[in-house]
Each structure stands twice: as C-alpha cells, then as structure tokens.
Amino acid sequence: MDAATLKSLKKKYFLAPFMLFYMKHCNYEKLKPKLIRAGMGHIRNESKEEIAYAQEMFETIFKELEGKILLILPD
C-alpha cells in the first residue's frame, strides 16, 4: 500500500477502536434502538409498505439476537 492509501484508511477508521470498545462494554438493550435507527436511516424513496417491512425485519432480527453475542470482538 502506498502512503496516500494508508493516510486515507487511517482517516476513515480513526474512530473504529473507540466504537469497538463502546460496543464491547455497552448494554445491548441500550444499543439496539440506535442500530435500528441507523439501519432505517439508509432507506430512501421507498413505499410505506416497504418501510414498514424493513422496520419489522430489524425488530425481528434484534429480538432473535437477544441474549446472543451480536459481534465477536477481539479481547
């Protein structure tokens, strides 16, 4: 990799270690609504039915993950 690529990646992933620490030590129930909002924030120009389907899908996914490890993070 060249210097420009490394500089770009460092700038892009500057907050990654802090986010991983937060996700590792935070309460899952507190994080779940933020993850759903983040996922819903990517929906653009969709019909109301598609938006309702996406909302239900996210809630179902996170309901099923309750009590399970969401991410496998390095110690």
Side-chain angles (χ1 to χ4, degrees), residues 32-50:
K32 184 167 49 171
K34 293 178 184 180
L35 292 172
I36 291 173
R37 271 193 307 253
M40 293 297 291
H42 291 282
I43 296 176
R44 302 276 192 272
N45 302 324
E46 303 293 340
S47 68
K48 290 183 180 183
E49 294 84 15
E50 291 172 327

Side-chain angles (χ1 to χ4, degrees), residues 18-62:
F18 302 109
M19 291 188 292
L20 289 173
F21 177 82
Y22 177 77
M23 291 170 68
K24 189 174 182 180
H25 296 287
C26 111
N27 182 359
Y28 176 70
E29 290 301 318
K30 184 178 175 184
L31 186 61
K32 184 167 49 171
K34 293 178 184 180
L35 292 172
I36 291 173
R37 271 193 307 253
M40 293 297 291
H42 291 282
I43 296 176
R44 302 276 192 272
N45 302 324
E46 303 293 340
S47 68
K48 290 183 180 183
E49 294 84 15
E50 291 172 327
I51 293 172
Y53 175 78
Q55 178 74 30
E56 182 180 334
M57 179 189 68
F58 282 122
E59 290 175 356
T60 302
I61 289 169
F62 289 115

